[in-house]
Amino acid sequence: MHSIRKILIANRGEIAVRIVRACRELGIASVAVYSDADRSALHVLHADEAYRLGPAPATDSYLRSDLILAAARQSGADAIHPGYGFLSENAAFAAACKDAGLIFIGPGAESMALLGSKTRARQAADKAGMPRTPGSTQTLESLEQANEVATQIGYPVMLKAAAGGGGKGMYAVYSADELQTAFDNARSEAERAFGSSEVYLEKLLLRPRHIEIQIAADEHGHCISLGERECSVQRRHQKIIEECPSAILSEALRKRMGEAACRLAMTGGYTNLGTVEFLLDSEENFYFLEMNTRLQVEHPVTELVTGIDLVQLQIRIAEGYPLPFTQDEVQRRGHAIECRIYAEDPDNSFFPSPGKITRLLQPSGPGIREDCGVYEGWTVPNDYDPMISKLIAYAPTRLDAIHKLLRALDEYTIHGIRTNLELFKRILADEDFRIAAIDTGYLERLLASPARKMLAEESATFADIAALAAAFMERDGSPTPAVRAARASSSAQPAKWKDQARREGLRS
Amino acid sequence: MHSIRKILIANRGEIAVRIVRACRELGIASVAVYSDADRSALHVLHADEAYRLGPAPATDSYLRSDLILAAARQSGADAIHPGYGFLSENAAFAAACKDAGLIFIGPGAESMALLGSKTRARQAADKAGMPRTPGSTQTLESLEQANEVATQIGYPVMLKAAAGGGGKGMYAVYSADELQTAFDNARSEAERAFGSSEVYLEKLLLRPRHIEIQIAADEHGHCISLGERECSVQRRHQKIIEECPSAILSEALRKRMGEAACRLAMTGGYTNLGTVEFLLDSEENFYFLEMNTRLQVEHPVTELVTGIDLVQLQIRIAEGYPLPFTQDEVQRRGHAIECRIYAEDPDNSFFPSPGKITRLLQPSGPGIREDCGVYEGWTVPNDYDPMISKLIAYAPTRLDAIHKLLRALDEYTIHGIRTNLELFKRILADEDFRIAAIDTGYLERLLASPARKMLAEESATFADIAALAAAFMERDGSPTPAVRAARASSSAQPAKWKDQARREGLRS
Amino acid sequence: MSAGLVKIQLLLGGVLRSVTLTRGEREGSYAGDLDGQAVEFDAVSLMPGVLSLILRSGTGAGQSYQCVFDQADPETGTRRVSIGSHTFAYQVYDPRSLTGRSKRARQDEGTLLLKATMAGRVVRLLVEQGAHVESHAGIVVIEAMKMQNELRAQRAGQVTELRVAEGEMVSAGQVLAVIE
Amino acid sequence: MSAGLVKIQLLLGGVLRSVTLTRGEREGSYAGDLDGQAVEFDAVSLMPGVLSLILRSGTGAGQSYQCVFDQADPETGTRRVSIGSHTFAYQVYDPRSLTGRSKRARQDEGTLLLKATMAGRVVRLLVEQGAHVESHAGIVVIEAMKMQNELRAQRAGQVTELRVAEGEMVSAGQVLAVIE
């Protein structure tokens, strides 16, 4: 055991806040780092200490391992939690932490390099006898090579960043003439997001579900599965809604997938928390997709269903403690669903919508958890991922959780930036989602279908209320000259307005 | 089954908001009622509809069953949820609802009259063979009669409101010369709080724990126990911290107390949720105290540990559904602790501190639930109970839950009114509380002991930061003439300030 | 006797609405007229930009609404109001500014200005100046918050101007290219 | 060269603190002097009344504090600042008003004014005018938010005035009785 006293969190936003909270609950001091865009960010306010890294671009701040290690030295931190994204799956950074005498809260650099690289992990999966989708097990050196592999396995194919995650640098390619643009875009996006332009490609399955297994491995040779998450609701390969458990997984299949995930992790000498992602076809065949060698965005749904605090568990494992429970002791109860709230404009192809949050009214109460990275008055910067918060509901059944989420969404108001809040209401009310008839193409199909029009009557009522409220709100405002003239003469003729006949249909 | 479409909530504050949320999750319309002091209250904003009752005093509004029934008629509600306090244990009101063709979400008027009256319930407990504390089983008609009973069973004794709950109208009497004042005060407080001045008295046990059993009974003859809550941390008989499970209850004792509670409820023909309160002595003997024939303030700790939404369950039972689980299917997991946040002044004997909330920064994140009845900008009225919110933590173990609560309390800031937030930090850090060495006198003893002084160094650091922050904040303020003079001359001598020697000990 | 409080016209959801309000007898109560329809309600301001409104007439009598206002756009005067999950944009009606806008719109006929829909960085130009493009052809790729967005021509034409270069930061609404 | 920003004296937690601040070289950085101790920190205002302060010198360098200010009491000028769970009250130092206060305090010597500690309703008078009372004797019972509070004499004396009656509403600070 090597007791950790102070953790530097090499991340930002909601996940940095999440980790600060775990530190405080364990009596461990927390150190935030920040770019110039994040001086006033929530994670800086919550942490015990805070150090500036550099200018706003991630390549000048959150991706600069040298600056992060310098901040660790300066603060006297003895461990680093990388969160997700940024340097969390960078084996060189993990190794550099170790060289600097710091505990990296995650797997060792070698097993990260093996299992975290999408291409090498596919080789390891082959060795462990795990089914995987056809495609390259090597980084594509050139467009020609990409063309060759794609032609061999047949279109459609998927281009992916070897160092990637979170849907970034992923491009579906349906025919050969789309390959060049996709190849260039994927490499460029991968370079920007992960500091490596390496990409590979694999066969695109039709209508698969995305099911992933959360594993936990200690430094004493134990590895267990904490169950699955279903993350099939995606837009542009970016998860939008995740849930635990999956509505369609049988106990037998859950066990088989959990065992396969643990086998892969053990093969790779993996420690700490990790997630093995699979695609599942309609015949219950699962295919290894990739392994995320870090905490996942969607870890809260597993926490709610198992009752285990995963970030605290990560820290305890990194301190050298054995897992505090066996596979059989992991109890699942109830159903949890998470919505990822993004600063993006639903009227503009969900393009990012950074800016100042002028109003933030957040839900709470029974069965609702929010892991939020922003606050009213904060300006969401242009430089990073647009996810600003995660809203999670927990209830005895999936349908109860859906109803709790809808209730919470009704209580949620964000002004100043556009968000995808309305999208969740649409999904959660959708019949296919309710019966869990979802796959990774579900959301794109839903978005392509015409939105259910609000009942005309309901819409008219709200518009009436809006008009009354606006008139009330503007009663002391600065009216235009036309309005001022009208107001001056209004006291002479109030009776007239009241005498007008009621219009039928308008709430009378 | 009689499906409920619209529920009028005959209450205010956090519990009214709690019930609105349950309604929305079940697709049932909600109707709020309010006094003039509560026009802008959170429950009015959350509900689908809202109707004014009358002036601020509860006797002119929330205790006026005629006005509440009129609002129910006007709104077309088909059911009434009484919450806790106010008319929730008023059998005449329950009967009036039924007469008006409304479903009262709670027990029938007759079993409420039997089990809700403290005196008649004690008679019922005798019949059911339950142990209870010695004392009167009749309302005390006069001071003389009180004197007689007290002398017979011996001091100390406890005076209690027959219609009461929530610690109101309760007075401990340690000797005969204190009896008259206590008798007058108890009757006066009972009259104001419950509309009935009836009081009774019982023997005061020494250092008992307060343990209560949550029961649920349907209209088909099933009654089960949802486990216990420990509510021993009280000030002036008002619960401050509640938890589930109790740290000291054995499984065997839990079962015995649960069975006794169900026996009493079945004897009284009880339906819907109810709580049977017991005192537990150090030899694990339990004594029937009273039954609360309604939802309890502290119901969330049971919800978190059992995973059951108790308000939704109340509504389903009232609709005529059988209990959806058997006694054996109720799973307990983890530990939950609730803090009742009161608007009261810790520097002034915890006297109520109503007023405008000028700043409200609330905690959230993993393991934290808040059931809150206020918002920033709202003025807490003078007319009602000072509880403004409930902060609840849930974690695998009791100690984990304590740490989560402390973390959440660190994130909590309320300005404009005084609150008891600091008190929770003191209790949760207290060694006796941590080892669960608590009884109903625990908190009064803690408060009588000198508060642990903050380490001088820690306190000095925060005072230094406060001084720097205040100087920064006042930099653009309107300085006094003295300050203005100083500032005018400051630009001439900046070098001098910097050259001053560093003081030792002050963070250098 | 109640005094006139406000008489106002609003452009709300593309529809012109006329509202007059007078104070009612009780504090916080109002009577008014919405497009010729008499209406009574209670309203109270909860904090700046947030009000509670309860209808007191019509079939919706008793309905309680929380209305949350955004700050008005300083340029256009447009303001959003959210009622639960329903959001409406409105402007206080001013005939002159409307005329102005439609005149400007006419000026642009025949010319398509491709504008940045959001602030970000230009990561790639997909055409060269002078190129002829089809409708929906990609013109510029902008990256913001790690997301790339391809801006496309809304109709066919010639790219007569490319006003930005790769690597350049652009702000929302900035003209990126001119297509004629 | 950095310019002087503020030189101020504060009464904070009963102690007189002298603070001078100058702007530092980077935006948001400040150098200053606290009671003769040089100190550097970063500070930024997050929203009205809330600021983030990070120490940059001394053994606490790197410590991050969120400081939340209450509105100043319009009468006394007292303002509270909360840093996590630690709350301090302070006033900007003004010698004249202090003199004023101590003068008033002297006037009241020999006379005890029993004041309401909080707004509420007088439910019971426990003494009659003219009564002699012991120290800690109950004088008035006030009820607020359903809680009864017995206000007691802080020392023995004669109740020369009872300024309230049963059932009367009183506000915080109001004089209820005079004991001499």
Side-chain angles (χ1 to χ4, degrees):
Chain A
M1 307 312 111
H2 14 257
S3 184
I4 293 175
R5 292 173 304 101
K6 188 184 278 192
I7 295 175
L8 182 143
I9 299 151
N11 217 298
R12 65 179 299 282
E14 69 85 18
I15 195 62
V17 174
R18 168 74 186 86
I19 297 164
V20 167
R21 284 175 165 151
C23 289
R24 190 146 301 155
E25 289 160 14
L26 293 175
I28 294 171
S30 55
V31 180
V33 289
Y34 60 91
S35 75
D36 287 340
D38 276 343
R39 168 61 184 87
S40 302
L42 199 60
H43 72 287
V44 175
L45 309 180
H46 272 264
D48 293 323
E49 301 180 29
Y51 293 86
R52 174 180 180 269
L53 292 175
T59 45
D60 297 330
S61 50
Y62 299 108
L63 288 171
R64 283 283 297 274
S65 59
D66 56 336
L67 298 177
I68 289 167
L69 291 173
R73 244 189 331 272
Q74 200 182 345
S75 64
D78 47 13
I80 293 205
H81 196 305
Y84 52 69
F86 295 125
L87 295 171
S88 62
E89 299 189 88
N90 184 315
F93 178 64
C97 287
K98 194 178 175 192
D99 291 346
L102 297 166
I103 295 173
F104 179 84
I105 299 173
E110 292 199 7
S111 70
M112 183 194 288
L114 174 65
L115 296 172
S117 156
K118 312 309 174 205
T119 44
R120 292 184 62 197
R122 284 164 67 81
Q123 298 164 28
D126 285 356
K127 278 188 204 132
M130 274 169 89
R132 63 160 176 85
T133 50
S136 56
T137 53
Q138 304 287 342
T139 301
L140 298 169
E141 299 296 337
S142 63
L143 177 63
E144 289 64 43
Q145 198 187 348
N147 203 2
E148 196 175 296
V149 177
T151 309
Q152 185 195 323
I153 63 175
Y155 287 93
V157 299
M158 179 75 83
L159 273 166
K160 294 184 168 184
K168 301 213 180 70
M170 284 177 70
Y171 283 82
V173 188
Y174 292 89
S175 61
D177 59 335
E178 293 173 12
L179 190 61
Q180 175 163 8
T181 311
F183 188 72
D184 291 346
N185 282 339
R187 285 172 59 99
S188 146
E189 214 171 284
E191 172 69 39
R192 277 174 186 281
F194 312 108
S196 154
S197 65
E198 298 192 356
V199 298
Y200 69 103
L201 65 71
E202 61 183 28
K203 179 83 182 163
L204 190 63
L205 287 184
L206 290 176
R207 298 212 172 186
R209 301 175 91 102
H210 177 117
I211 308 276
E212 61 188 29
I213 299 289
Q214 174 72 59
I215 62 113
D218 64 22
E219 296 173 355
H220 308 276
H222 311 116
C223 181
I224 64 172
S225 160
L226 299 177
E228 84 284 6
R229 292 182 287 258
E230 165 138 22
C231 316
S232 298
V233 180
Q234 307 183 350
R235 201 182 60 78
R236 296 167 73 176
H237 316 297
Q238 177 69 62
K239 296 165 187 168
I240 301 289
I241 290 183
E242 301 100 342
E243 53 188 308
C244 176
S246 164
I248 57 106
L249 224 59
S250 67
E251 198 55 57
L253 183 54
R254 175 175 296 121
K255 192 153 178 288
R256 277 202 294 140
M257 292 178 76
E259 285 166 355
C262 287
R263 204 161 55 234
L264 177 70
M266 302 283 272
T267 304
Y270 195 86
T271 55
N272 217 293
L273 261 60
T275 296
V276 182
E277 297 190 335
F278 297 97
L279 293 180
L280 185 73
D281 72 17
S282 51
E283 274 81 45
E284 300 211 339
N285 300 306
F286 59 90
Y287 302 91
F288 172 68
L289 199 56
E290 62 182 46
M291 178 159 184
N292 293 318
T293 59
R294 49 155 171 95
L295 189 65
Q296 299 273 98
V297 174
E298 59 271 27
H299 74 276
V301 294
T302 300
E303 293 187 317
L304 287 164
V305 169
T306 62
I308 299 166
D309 187 310
L310 294 183
V311 179
Q312 291 191 12
L313 182 59
Q314 284 194 296
I315 294 170
R316 289 310 188 205
I317 290 173
E319 286 182 320
Y321 287 93
L323 290 175
F325 31 69
T326 65
Q327 183 70 66
D328 290 343
E329 285 165 354
V330 176
Q331 297 176 41
R332 288 178 304 108
R333 188 180 75 184
H335 198 99
I337 308 180
E338 171 180 283
C339 295
R340 295 192 189 188
I341 301 175
Y342 289 98
E344 58 185 24
D345 186 351
D347 297 331
N348 185 16
S349 314
F350 296 96
F351 199 65
S353 169
K356 183 169 178 176
I357 297 173
T358 55
R359 180 76 65 190
L360 185 63
L361 302 179
Q362 293 167 288
S364 63
I368 294 300
R369 162 176 167 183
E370 190 178 7
D371 280 20
C372 184
V374 301
Y375 58 90
E376 188 173 301
W378 156 247
T379 298
V380 180
N382 180 52
D383 308 274
Y384 316 108
D385 184 275
M387 196 182 76
I388 55 173
S389 189
K390 302 181 314 205
L391 183 67
I392 312 121
Y394 173 67
T397 70
R398 186 171 186 271
L399 191 58
D400 289 338
I402 289 173
H403 287 142
K404 279 208 189 291
L405 266 181
L406 283 168
R407 183 273 289 173
L409 288 164
D410 267 343
E411 293 177 15
Y412 216 132
T413 302
I414 305 179
H415 275 179
I417 58 173
R418 303 301 305 278
T419 70
N420 60 344
L421 279 178
E422 284 301 306
L423 175 62
F424 297 120
K425 296 183 195 170
R426 187 168 168 198
I427 296 169
L428 295 170
D430 179 60
E431 198 46 47
D432 281 344
F433 181 81
R434 293 219 168 182
I435 61 169
I438 50 178
D439 59 69
T440 58
Y442 158 78
L443 182 54
E444 315 254 359
R445 291 196 303 277
L446 181 73
L447 288 171
S449 70
R452 180 192 72 93
K453 283 287 164 213
M454 236 195 311
L455 293 174
E457 201 178 317
E458 186 193 353
S459 177
T461 297
F462 282 104
D464 287 356
I465 299 300
L468 292 175
F472 180 83
M473 184 55 72
E474 306 296 339
R475 72 197 185 284
D476 301 320
S478 38
T480 62
V483 175
R484 209 157 28 225
R487 190 182 293 183
S489 66
S490 67
S491 56
Q493 48 174 343
K496 182 168 162 237
W497 317 335
K498 274 198 149 176
D499 287 347
Q500 287 180 353
R502 292 192 171 222
R503 202 163 29 133
E504 260 299 308
L506 184 70
R507 314 191 58 76
S508 65
Chain B
M1 303 317 110
H2 15 257
S3 185
I4 292 175
R5 294 173 304 97
K6 188 185 279 192
I7 294 175
L8 182 142
I9 299 151
N11 216 299
R12 64 179 300 281
E14 68 85 19
I15 195 61
V17 174
R18 169 72 187 86
I19 297 163
V20 168
R21 285 176 165 150
C23 289
R24 189 146 301 155
E25 290 160 14
L26 292 174
I28 295 171
S30 54
V31 180
V33 289
Y34 60 91
S35 75
D36 287 340
D38 275 343
R39 168 62 185 87
S40 303
L42 199 60
H43 71 286
V44 175
L45 309 179
H46 272 264
D48 294 323
E49 300 180 30
Y51 294 85
R52 174 180 179 271
L53 292 175
T59 45
D60 297 330
S61 50
Y62 299 108
L63 289 171
R64 282 283 297 273
S65 59
D66 57 335
L67 298 176
I68 289 167
L69 290 174
R73 247 190 327 273
Q74 199 182 348
S75 64
D78 47 13
I80 294 207
H81 196 304
Y84 52 69
F86 295 126
L87 295 170
S88 62
E89 299 188 270
N90 184 317
F93 178 64
C97 288
K98 194 177 175 192
D99 291 347
L102 298 165
I103 295 172
F104 178 84
I105 300 173
E110 291 198 9
S111 70
M112 184 193 287
L114 174 63
L115 296 172
S117 156
K118 311 310 173 203
T119 44
R120 291 184 61 197
R122 284 164 66 82
Q123 296 163 29
D126 284 355
K127 277 187 203 133
M130 273 169 90
R132 64 158 176 86
T133 50
S136 55
T137 53
Q138 305 286 342
T139 301
L140 299 168
E141 300 295 338
S142 64
L143 178 64
E144 288 65 42
Q145 198 187 347
N147 204 2
E148 197 175 297
V149 177
T151 309
Q152 186 195 321
I153 62 175
Y155 287 93
V157 299
M158 179 74 84
L159 272 166
K160 294 184 169 184
K168 301 213 180 71
M170 284 176 71
Y171 283 82
V173 188
Y174 292 88
S175 61
D177 60 334
E178 294 173 11
L179 189 61
Q180 175 162 10
T181 310
F183 188 71
D184 291 346
N185 282 339
R187 285 173 60 99
S188 148
E189 214 172 284
E191 172 68 40
R192 276 173 187 280
F194 313 109
S196 154
S197 64
E198 299 192 355
V199 298
Y200 67 104
L201 65 72
E202 60 184 29
K203 179 83 182 161
L204 189 64
L205 287 183
L206 289 177
R207 298 211 172 186
R209 302 175 91 101
H210 177 118
I211 308 276
E212 60 188 31
I213 300 289
Q214 175 71 59
I215 63 113
D218 64 22
E219 295 173 355
H220 308 276
H222 311 116
C223 181
I224 64 172
S225 160
L226 299 177
E228 84 283 7
R229 292 184 286 259
E230 165 138 22
C231 315
S232 299
V233 180
Q234 307 184 349
R235 201 181 61 79
R236 295 168 73 176
H237 316 296
Q238 176 71 62
K239 296 164 186 167
I240 302 288
I241 290 182
E242 301 99 343
E243 53 188 309
C244 177
S246 163
I248 57 105
L249 224 59
S250 67
E251 198 55 60
L253 183 54
R254 175 177 294 121
K255 192 154 178 287
R256 277 201 295 140
M257 291 177 76
E259 285 167 356
C262 287
R263 205 161 55 233
L264 177 69
M266 301 284 272
T267 305
Y270 195 86
T271 56
N272 216 293
L273 263 58
T275 296
V276 182
E277 296 190 334
F278 297 97
L279 292 180
L280 185 73
D281 70 17
S282 50
E283 275 80 45
E284 299 209 339
N285 300 306
F286 59 90
Y287 302 91
F288 172 69
L289 200 56
E290 61 182 48
M291 179 159 182
N292 293 319
T293 60
R294 48 154 172 97
L295 190 66
Q296 300 272 98
V297 173
E298 59 269 28
H299 73 276
V301 293
T302 300
E303 293 187 317
L304 287 163
V305 169
T306 63
I308 300 165
D309 188 310
L310 294 184
V311 179
Q312 290 192 12
L313 181 60
Q314 283 194 298
I315 295 169
R316 291 309 188 207
I317 291 173
E319 284 182 321
Y321 288 93
L323 290 175
F325 31 69
T326 63
Q327 183 69 66
D328 290 343
E329 285 165 355
V330 176
Q331 298 175 40
R332 288 177 304 110
R333 189 180 75 184
H335 198 100
I337 308 180
E338 170 178 284
C339 296
R340 295 192 189 188
I341 301 175
Y342 288 97
E344 57 186 25
D345 186 350
D347 296 331
N348 185 16
S349 314
F350 296 97
F351 200 66
S353 170
K356 182 168 178 176
I357 296 172
T358 55
R359 179 77 66 189
L360 185 63
L361 303 178
Q362 293 167 288
S364 63
I368 293 300
R369 162 176 168 184
E370 189 179 8
D371 280 21
C372 184
V374 301
Y375 58 91
E376 187 173 302
W378 156 247
T379 298
V380 180
N382 180 51
D383 307 274
Y384 316 108
D385 184 275
M387 196 182 76
I388 56 173
S389 189
K390 301 181 315 205
L391 183 67
I392 312 119
Y394 173 67
T397 69
R398 186 171 187 269
L399 191 59
D400 288 339
I402 289 173
H403 288 142
K404 279 208 188 292
L405 265 182
L406 283 168
R407 183 274 288 174
L409 288 164
D410 266 344
E411 294 177 15
Y412 216 131
T413 301
I414 306 178
H415 275 179
I417 58 172
R418 303 300 306 276
T419 70
N420 60 345
L421 280 178
E422 285 301 307
L423 175 62
F424 297 119
K425 296 184 196 170
R426 187 169 168 198
I427 297 169
L428 294 169
D430 179 60
E431 199 46 46
D432 281 345
F433 181 80
R434 294 219 167 180
I435 61 170
I438 49 178
D439 59 71
T440 58
Y442 158 77
L443 182 54
E444 316 254 359
R445 290 195 302 278
L446 181 74
L447 289 171
S449 71
R452 182 191 72 94
K453 282 288 165 211
M454 238 195 310
L455 292 174
E457 202 179 316
E458 186 193 354
S459 177
T461 297
F462 281 104
D464 286 355
I465 300 301
L468 291 175
F472 180 82
M473 183 56 72
E474 305 295 340
R475 72 196 186 285
D476 301 320
S478 37
T480 60
V483 175
R484 206 153 37 222
R487 190 181 294 183
S489 66
S490 67
S491 56
Q493 49 174 343
K496 185 174 157 231
W497 317 333
K498 274 199 152 175
D499 287 346
Q500 288 181 351
R502 293 191 171 222
R503 203 163 29 134
E504 262 299 309
L506 185 72
R507 310 190 62 76
S508 65
Chain C
M1 290 298 295
S2 54
L5 178 66
V6 67
K7 178 164 187 167
I8 200 167
Q9 288 191 301
L10 303 162
L11 263 176
L12 187 142
V15 179
L16 191 64
R17 312 298 302 264
S18 300
V19 192
T20 56
L21 297 183
T22 58
R23 289 191 200 284
E25 282 167 33
R26 275 191 306 106
E27 194 191 325
S29 76
Y30 298 87
D33 173 300
L34 172 62
D35 299 327
Q37 164 78 28
V39 61
E40 290 170 34
F41 62 92
D42 289 354
V44 62
S45 184
L46 307 177
M47 54 182 116
V50 183
L51 65 89
S52 163
L53 190 152
I54 305 176
L55 275 185
R56 290 297 172 213
S57 63
T59 52
Q63 298 281 356
S64 174
Y65 300 94
Q66 186 176 342
C67 308
V68 184
F69 288 76
D70 210 343
Q71 282 147 11
D73 183 303
E75 268 186 52
T76 63
T78 300
R79 199 169 184 187
R80 282 170 195 278
V81 52
S82 296
I83 305 167
S85 60
H86 307 278
T87 297
F88 300 88
Y90 72 89
Q91 295 172 297
V92 175
Y93 180 63
D94 174 355
R96 289 170 313 149
S97 74
L98 276 179
T99 319
R101 261 204 302 285
S102 38
K103 204 180 285 171
R104 240 173 300 148
R106 270 194 299 277
Q107 274 185 341
D108 295 340
E109 265 172 21
T111 301
L112 175 72
L113 300 179
L114 183 73
K115 292 180 183 176
T117 45
M118 194 51 59
R121 183 190 306 271
V122 176
V123 290
R124 207 162 314 114
L125 296 176
L126 301 175
V127 297
E128 294 184 2
Q129 194 159 317
H132 285 269
V133 294
E134 297 301 305
S135 179
H136 294 290
I139 308 293
V140 178
V141 179
I142 291 186
E143 185 173 284
M145 295 169 112
K146 302 287 163 214
M147 293 282 288
Q148 297 199 349
N149 194 32
E150 191 171 292
L151 299 181
R152 295 159 184 273
Q154 280 150 307
R155 56 178 175 72
Q158 187 186 12
V159 179
T160 55
E161 272 187 75
L162 268 176
R163 296 197 182 169
V164 290
E166 290 189 3
E168 194 174 315
M169 290 296 298
V170 297
S171 51
Q174 183 175 337
V175 175
L176 309 175
V178 181
I179 299 168
E180 299 196 54
Chain D
M1 291 296 295
S2 55
L5 179 65
V6 66
K7 178 166 188 168
I8 199 167
Q9 288 192 301
L10 303 161
L11 262 177
L12 187 142
V15 179
L16 190 65
R17 312 298 302 263
S18 300
V19 192
T20 57
L21 298 183
T22 58
R23 287 190 201 286
E25 282 166 33
R26 278 191 304 106
E27 195 191 325
S29 76
Y30 298 87
D33 174 299
L34 173 63
D35 299 327
Q37 165 77 28
V39 62
E40 290 170 33
F41 61 92
D42 289 356
V44 61
S45 183
L46 307 177
M47 54 182 114
V50 183
L51 65 88
S52 163
L53 190 152
I54 305 176
L55 274 185
R56 289 298 173 213
S57 64
T59 51
Q63 299 281 356
S64 175
Y65 300 94
Q66 186 175 344
C67 308
V68 185
F69 289 76
D70 210 343
Q71 282 147 12
D73 184 302
E75 267 186 52
T76 63
T78 300
R79 199 169 184 186
R80 280 169 197 279
V81 51
S82 297
I83 305 167
S85 60
H86 307 278
T87 297
F88 299 89
Y90 72 89
Q91 294 171 298
V92 176
Y93 179 62
D94 176 353
R96 288 172 314 149
S97 73
L98 277 180
T99 317
R101 262 204 300 285
S102 37
K103 205 180 285 172
R104 240 173 298 146
R106 267 195 300 277
Q107 273 186 343
D108 294 342
E109 265 172 23
T111 301
L112 175 72
L113 300 178
L114 184 74
K115 292 180 183 177
T117 44
M118 196 51 62
R121 183 191 304 273
V122 175
V123 290
R124 206 159 317 114
L125 296 175
L126 302 175
V127 296
E128 295 184 2
Q129 195 158 318
H132 284 269
V133 294
E134 297 300 305
S135 178
H136 294 290
I139 308 293
V140 178
V141 179
I142 291 187
E143 186 174 282
M145 296 170 113
K146 302 286 164 215
M147 294 281 288
Q148 297 199 350
N149 193 32
E150 192 171 293
L151 300 181
R152 295 159 185 272
Q154 281 150 305
R155 57 176 174 74
Q158 187 185 12
V159 179
T160 55
E161 273 187 73
L162 268 176
R163 296 197 183 169
V164 291
E166 290 189 4
E168 194 174 314
M169 290 296 298
V170 295
S171 51
Q174 184 175 337
V175 176
L176 308 174
V178 180
I179 299 168
E180 298 195 56

